[in-house]
């Protein structure tokens, strides 16, 4: 065994050493940063994109065979030289190669991963570590310890991949780009060098008789390969992988010989001890490689067509046709819009139309006539009735229904994958969670799923899937057109969401620190990402130079480092949960008053919290437990919504489809009952407990008393509650407007954050000014002063409207009273109080008979402001119940503008400006 360490020993010289001696290509670069892909060309071109697991299996085959081939090559070389003569020599050297390579790879891999994690935001440093550590690993294994260097490097790469989620995006992109570029360069160098050397040798020893034997070997190898995959397919089917005979035929026929064969034969040719042996089968290797490239690759299209894998299902053709129709409609719309541009009026529109016509990927005819019937449009498939000779809808067959259901499930899974990627981009999940969810969804897509539900463990992953379900519920009507299939999948999504939320609630109950830690880190990560985006916008706009940018970014980076090292967050006490309710708005006086009058209630599993048709006892703030909300539309509710704009009393209402059933969950920290208290209407849904729950109760009387404490019509308690309870409905309204369809939900929510919902109880006429960007009608009705058109909530008021008549005006007569609520989005830097001050000067208000005259009311106003700077004399501007009835019974009542209300608005505005000046002065100091 001492011979094995001799410097001229071939077994000690690895294939890389031999190649280094006889070629001008660095040996280590040929092993690092590349995985030899022996896949068929059709897989690379995407013809089998829907069978991605075939490519995965072929890549796995390459990895599993690449390492043992190099070890066997060294063993055979040693045997040819007489270094290895006994059977136990093979065993000992093989074990040394494998075990030693794994041990060194694990140690070096852990060290590499730790170093790269320390260099979180240093792309060049992390790249230097990846290069240096992989070279060092290979050098130690091959030149010092005589282990398998390739196996050790693979272990290092595996450890880097495991810790990949802890790298920044810049580091990840830099490493991927470098090794990808190096891979292409090495592939080209190997092919050029090997083919040149081998062709020169073949030209000297070519014999046509050896070609016949090689052809027989070629077919025998392919048959053997097919039966090997057949046995593997039986094993995979046992493991619940759906691998049919057609897929196995593709796997067996797609084994294309790559440059690995050429590299090994070149190593034998360039070594003086194996040159004679290599010449005996060099021609066979070259012919075998040539046949696999020429026959297997070129015949793949025909093979796919013969076995039926290239056939497109009716559902896939339908989906593509619908997409093409949508794109062509968009094309016509854009062309019509561009024609109105006076700078483009003399363009050659015939050429524009000609050059923008797309060819259908599935070779179906697409024309400018979007109304033309198509064979593969479900919504337009009609047939002629033989009796009445009229067109009637064509019923979908059972086979077509099965195909459409399978295609719809794949759509849902793809939508989930897109949602997961969006969550990662927003910072709500980390890279590790992204990889796990994306891989799980990819596996489900590839394995022909019968369900679109994910079974995952981990609070963060479950929360991410719940967010995916919420997005799919909002867009499922656009994803799936057939109502029957949509209802089936919608139920599956609701069930999956409910199951995950119950599991999350159980985790939060048993180990609350896990849920609190995940939620807190998610909120911090999202906030820091938004701050970083804001900093980038400032840099691109020129507000900060490179030095200032670096200083600010350093502070954000330090916060990100603290976040990565954050391991544990203590759960918040109940009072903190109470204080953090959004409509509290850190109003100390209101918080103190409400907390002193709060009540504690608890329920067991299955108890009813709020029943359909009953009034809410007040506002509930859920401290622990899980509630479930179920809404079933009723004719009376839909009629009031359609005629008077009275939105259904449903907590967290976020859809415009009031005629659709809803099933939602309410977790700890959420509040319910605000909408019922604000409107004075009973619930239109039922809320029950899914687990033992506890909540704080603020009765309706306490809420009304608190509204009197802070009765500011712009930022008072009532105005804040209205905005918080209807903000999700406002998002749905804007998402339905073509102008905002290019906006994301986050962008729309950011825009609505500046919006306010003033108290318009004393307004008869509302004037839309230039200080208002958009106005959303969220409750009640309004009428256009000029045209008389009636607007019913919820909807976006058109920007062409200048004056709105509200229900308090005698010009608008309704059968039952309704209070109109408008969400106003300020224009630019316009302030809320500036808008409302100007609105009072030009709008028409109503007056209410009060027990005190206007003089005393105006004198009392400053006294009330001592308690709250933004407080407004509520009795001087609110209508009593009796005055409400008189307003609707008689239209001859005369009204006058309330001067004291004007004064109150100005006082509130002045106080707001004074507060901002103090904040600015504090910041400067």
């Amino acid at each position: 065994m001492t011979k094995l360490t001799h410097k001229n020993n071939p077994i000690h010289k690895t294939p890389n050493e031999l190649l280094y001696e006889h070629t001008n290509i660095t040996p280590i670069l040929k092993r690092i940063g590349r995985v030899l892909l022996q896949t068929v060309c059709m897989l690379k071109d995407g013809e089998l994109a829907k069978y991605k697991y075939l490519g995965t299996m072929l890549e796995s085959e390459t990895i599993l065979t690449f390492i043992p081939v190099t070890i066997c090559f060294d063993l055979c070389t040693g045997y040819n030289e007489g270094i290895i003569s006994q059977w136990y020599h093979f065993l000992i050297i093989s074990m040394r190669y494998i075990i030693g390579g794994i041990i060194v790879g694990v140690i070096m891999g852990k060290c590499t991963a730790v170093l790269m994690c320390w260099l979180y935001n240093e792309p060049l440093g992390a790249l230097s570590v990846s290069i240096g550590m992989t070279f060092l690993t290979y050098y130690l294994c091959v030149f010092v310890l005589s282990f398998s260097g390739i196996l050790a490097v693979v272990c290092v790469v595996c450890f880097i991949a495991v810790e990949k989620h802890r790298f920044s995006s810049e580091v990840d992109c830099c490493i991927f780009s470098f090794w990808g570029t190096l891979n292409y360069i090495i592939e080209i160098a190997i092919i050029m060098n090997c083919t040149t050397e081998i062709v020169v040798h073949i030209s000297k020893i070519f014999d046509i008789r050896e070609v016949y034997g090689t052809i027989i070997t070629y077919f025998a190898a392919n048959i053997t390969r097919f039966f090997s995959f057949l046995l593997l397919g039986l094993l995979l089917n046992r493991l619940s992988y759906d691998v049919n005979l057609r897929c196995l035929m593709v796997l067996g026929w797609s084994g294309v010989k790559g440059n690995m064969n050429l590299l090994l034969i070149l190593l034998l040719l360039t070594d003086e001890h194996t040159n004679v042996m290599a010449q005996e089968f060099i021609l066979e290797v070259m012919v075998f490689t040539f046949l696999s490239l020429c026959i297997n690759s070129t015949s793949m299209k025909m093979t796919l067509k013969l076995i039926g894998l290239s056939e497109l299902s009716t559902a896939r053709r339908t989906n593509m046709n619908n997409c093409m129709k949508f794109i062509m409609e968009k094309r016509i719309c854009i062309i019509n819009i561009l024609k109105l541009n006076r700078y483009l009026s003399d363009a050659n529109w015939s050429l524009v139309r000609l050059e923008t016509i797309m060819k259908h990927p599935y070779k179906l005819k697409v024309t400018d006539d979007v109304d033309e019937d198509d064979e593969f449009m479900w919504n337009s498939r009609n047939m002629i009735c033989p009796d009445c000779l009229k067109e009637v809808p064509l019923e979908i067959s059972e086979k077509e229904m099965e195909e459409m259901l399978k295609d719809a499930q794949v759509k849902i899974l793809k939508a989930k994958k897109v949602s997961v990627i969006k969550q990662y981009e927003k910072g709500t999940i980390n890279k590790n969670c992204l990889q796990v969810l994306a891989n799980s969804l990819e596996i489900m897509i590839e394995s022909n799923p019968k369900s679109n539900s994910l079974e995952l463990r981990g609070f963060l992953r479950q929360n991410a899937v719940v967010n995916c379900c919420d997005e799919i519920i909002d867009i499922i009507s656009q994803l799936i057109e057939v109502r029957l299939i949509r209802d089936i999948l919608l139920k599956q999504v609701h069930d999956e969401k409910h199951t995950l939320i119950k599991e999350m609630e159980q985790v939060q109950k048993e180990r609350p620190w896990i849920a609190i830690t995940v939620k807190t880190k998610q909120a911090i990560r999202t906030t820091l990402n938004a701050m970083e985006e804001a900093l980038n916008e400032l840099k691109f706009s020129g507000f900060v130079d490179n030095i200032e940018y670096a200083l600010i970014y350093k502070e954000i980076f330090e916060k990100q480092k603290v976040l990565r090292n954050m391991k544990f967050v203590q759960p918040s006490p109940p009072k903190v949960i109470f204080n953090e309710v959004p409509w509290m708005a850190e109003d100390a006086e209101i918080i103190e008053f409400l907390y002193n009058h709060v009540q504690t209630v608890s329920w067991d599993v299955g108890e009813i919290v709020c029943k359909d048709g009953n009034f809410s006892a007040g506002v509930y703030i859920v401290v622990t437990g899980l509630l479930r909300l179920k809404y079933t539309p009723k004719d009376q509710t839909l009629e009031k919504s359609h005629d008077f704009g009275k939105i259904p009393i449903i907590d967290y209402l976020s859809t415009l489809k009031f005629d659709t059933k809803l099933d939602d969950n309410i977790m700890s920290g959420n509040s319910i009952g605000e909408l019922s208290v604000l409107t004075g209407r009973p619930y239109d849904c039922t809320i029950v407990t899914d687990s033992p729950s506890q909540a704080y109760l603020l009765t309706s009387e306490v809420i009304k008393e608190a509204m009197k404490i802070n009765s500011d019509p712009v930022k008072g308690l009532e105005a804040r509650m209205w905005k918080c309870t209807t903000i999700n409905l406002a998002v749905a309204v804007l998402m339905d407007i073509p102008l905002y369809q290019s906006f994301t939900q986050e962008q729309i929510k950011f825009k609505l954050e500046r919006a306010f919902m003033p108290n318009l109880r004393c307004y008869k006429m509302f004037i839309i000014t230039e200080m208002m960007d958009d106005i959303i009608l969220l409750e009640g009705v309004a009428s256009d002063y000029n045209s008389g058109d009636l607007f019913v909530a919820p909807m976006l008021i058109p920007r062409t409207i200048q004056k709105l008549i509200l229900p308090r005006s005698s010009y608008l007569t309704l059968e039952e009273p309704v209070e109109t609520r408008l969400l106003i989005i300020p224009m630019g830097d316009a302030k809320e109080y500036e808008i409302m001050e100007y609105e009072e000067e030009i709008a028409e208000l109503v007056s209410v008979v009060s027990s005190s005259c206007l003089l005393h009311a105006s004198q009392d106003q400053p006294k009330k402001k001592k308690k709250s700077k933004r407080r407004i004399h509520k009795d001087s501007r609110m209508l009593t119940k009796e005055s409400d009835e008189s307003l609707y019974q008689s239209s001859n009542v005369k009204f006058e503008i309330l001067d004291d209300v004007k004064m109150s608005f100005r006082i509130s505005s002045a106080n707001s400006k004074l507060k901002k000046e103090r904040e600015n002065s504090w910041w400067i100091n």
Side-chain angles (χ1 to χ4, degrees), residues 591-623:
I591 292 174
E592 187 67 24
F593 173 80
L594 293 177
Y595 194 75
N596 291 335
H597 293 81
V598 74
Q599 302 177 17
T600 303
V601 293
S602 58
W603 305 279
D604 291 330
V605 180
E607 288 194 31
I608 298 178
V609 179
C610 300
K611 189 176 182 181
D612 188 358
N614 292 349
F615 291 89
S616 176
V619 176
Y620 296 93
I621 302 173
V622 183
V623 179

Side-chain angles (χ1 to χ4, degrees), residues 99-149:
I99 298 176
I102 292 176
I103 293 174
V104 174
V106 169
I107 296 174
M108 299 300 291
K110 283 185 174 294
C111 296
T112 305
V114 171
L115 289 175
M116 293 184 69
C117 290
W118 284 350
L119 299 171
Y120 170 78
N121 204 37
E122 296 292 337
L124 294 181
L127 181 61
S128 301
V129 169
S130 67
I131 297 174
M133 294 300 287
T134 48
F135 271 70
L136 179 61
T137 301
Y138 189 86
Y139 177 81
L140 289 175
C141 288
V142 174
F143 298 98
V144 178
L145 303 174
S146 297
F147 295 155
S148 175

Side-chain angles (χ1 to χ4, degrees), residues 533-744:
E533 290 179 4
L535 177 60
N536 292 329
E537 291 178 3
L538 291 175
K539 181 181 179 182
F540 295 150
S541 302
F543 288 98
V544 295
D545 56 18
N546 292 334
I547 298 177
E548 296 168 334
Y549 174 84
L551 292 174
I552 301 175
Y553 182 79
K554 183 180 179 181
E555 294 296 325
I556 298 177
F557 176 68
E558 292 298 326
K559 297 296 181 182
Q560 291 174 340
K561 289 178 64 177
V562 173
L563 174 64
R564 291 197 306 273
N565 298 326
M566 187 180 297
K567 304 297 183 182
F568 177 79
V569 178
Q570 288 286 351
S572 302
K575 187 173 182 180
V576 174
I577 296 177
F578 181 88
N579 295 345
E580 295 298 334
V581 175
W583 43 263
M584 293 291 185
E586 299 181 358
D587 192 334
E589 185 178 4
I590 293 294
I591 292 174
E592 187 67 24
F593 173 80
L594 293 177
Y595 194 75
N596 291 335
H597 293 81
V598 74
Q599 302 177 17
T600 303
V601 293
S602 58
W603 305 279
D604 291 330
V605 180
E607 288 194 31
I608 298 178
V609 179
C610 300
K611 189 176 182 181
D612 188 358
N614 292 349
F615 291 89
S616 176
V619 176
Y620 296 93
I621 302 173
V622 183
V623 179
T624 59
L626 178 67
L627 310 181
R628 188 167 188 177
L629 182 150
K630 292 185 177 181
Y631 164 72
T632 302
K634 301 186 297 292
D635 293 338
Q636 183 181 3
T637 303
L638 299 177
E639 183 179 350
K640 288 185 177 181
S641 173
H642 181 269
D643 296 340
F644 306 108
K646 293 184 176 181
I647 60 175
I649 306 302
I650 306 172
D651 293 301
Y652 298 98
L653 183 62
S654 59
T655 178
L656 302 179
K657 299 178 180 179
F658 301 150
D659 58 344
T660 304
K661 292 183 179 181
L662 294 179
D663 191 348
D664 204 354
N665 296 94
I666 299 169
M667 303 182 69
S668 59
N670 299 150
S671 58
I672 60 174
E674 296 99 326
L675 204 54
S676 179
V677 173
L678 290 170
T679 60
R681 299 199 299 267
Y683 258 101
D684 292 311
C685 63
T686 299
I687 301 177
V688 297
T689 58
D690 263 4
S691 67
S693 306
Q694 190 175 13
Y696 285 137
L697 171 61
L698 298 169
T699 62
S700 302
E701 292 76 14
V702 172
I703 294 293
K704 291 177 182 178
E705 286 295 325
M707 290 179 181
K708 294 178 182 179
I709 296 176
N710 188 352
S711 57
D712 188 318
V714 176
K715 292 188 176 181
L717 178 61
E718 184 180 8
R720 296 199 303 261
M721 291 181 69
W722 266 108
K723 178 183 175 181
C724 292
T725 54
T726 58
I727 192 70
N728 292 329
L729 184 62
V731 173
V733 171
L734 293 185
M735 290 289 289
D736 200 44
I737 303 300
L739 180 63
Y740 289 95
Q741 286 181 353
S742 60
F743 287 58
T744 63

Side-chain angles (χ1 to χ4, degrees), residues 38-44 48 58 253-254 256 296-297 300:
Q38 295 182 346
T39 57
V40 70
C41 298
M42 300 306 302
L43 287 174
K44 294 182 179 179
L48 294 179
L58 290 173
W253 191 247
S254 58
V256 179
N296 293 56
S297 297
M300 183 54 65

Side-chain angles (χ1 to χ4, degrees), residues 38-40 42-44 47-62 225 229 232 236 241-252 254-255 300 304 307 309 446-447:
Q38 295 182 346
T39 57
V40 70
M42 300 306 302
L43 287 174
K44 294 182 179 179
E47 293 290 338
L48 294 179
K50 59 181 178 179
Y51 298 102
K52 291 183 180 179
Y53 65 90
L54 299 181
T56 304
M57 292 180 66
L58 290 173
E59 291 175 2
S60 302
E61 177 197 8
T62 302
R225 177 184 174 84
F229 274 106
L232 179 62
L236 293 176
Y241 280 87
D242 186 14
V243 182
N244 52 36
L245 182 61
R246 296 185 300 174
C247 296
L248 294 176
M249 292 179 65
V250 172
L251 291 172
S254 58
M300 183 54 65
L304 295 176
I307 63 180
L309 283 183
E446 295 169 1
S447 58

Side-chain angles (χ1 to χ4, degrees), residues 426-493:
K426 292 188 295 185
T428 56
I429 60 175
N430 55 33
K431 192 178 296 184
N432 185 30
C433 182
L434 170 67
Q435 293 175 351
V436 172
L437 292 177
N439 292 337
S440 300
L441 290 168
E442 194 68 35
I443 292 173
M444 293 184 67
I445 293 172
E446 295 169 1
S447 58
N448 298 325
K450 296 182 180 180
S451 173
N452 51 37
S453 301
L454 276 171
E455 296 182 2
L456 295 171
R457 293 188 178 273
F459 193 90
L460 180 60
R461 299 169 189 173
Q462 291 174 338
N463 187 51
V465 177
V466 169
N467 294 333
C468 295
C469 294
D470 288 333
E471 290 190 20
I472 289 171
I473 290 171
D474 294 335
I475 65 173
I476 194 169
S477 59
Q478 293 149 0
L479 285 176
I480 305 168
E481 296 181 354
V482 182
R483 186 179 183 86
L484 179 60
I485 296 178
R486 182 168 65 242
D487 293 341
I488 295 174
L489 296 183
L490 186 61
K491 184 179 182 303
Q492 290 183 5
V493 174

Side-chain angles (χ1 to χ4, degrees), residues 20-32:
Y20 181 79
E21 294 177 357
H22 299 281
T23 63
N24 59 352
I25 302 175
T26 305
I28 303 177
L29 289 179
K30 294 182 179 180
R31 303 298 190 193
I32 301 173

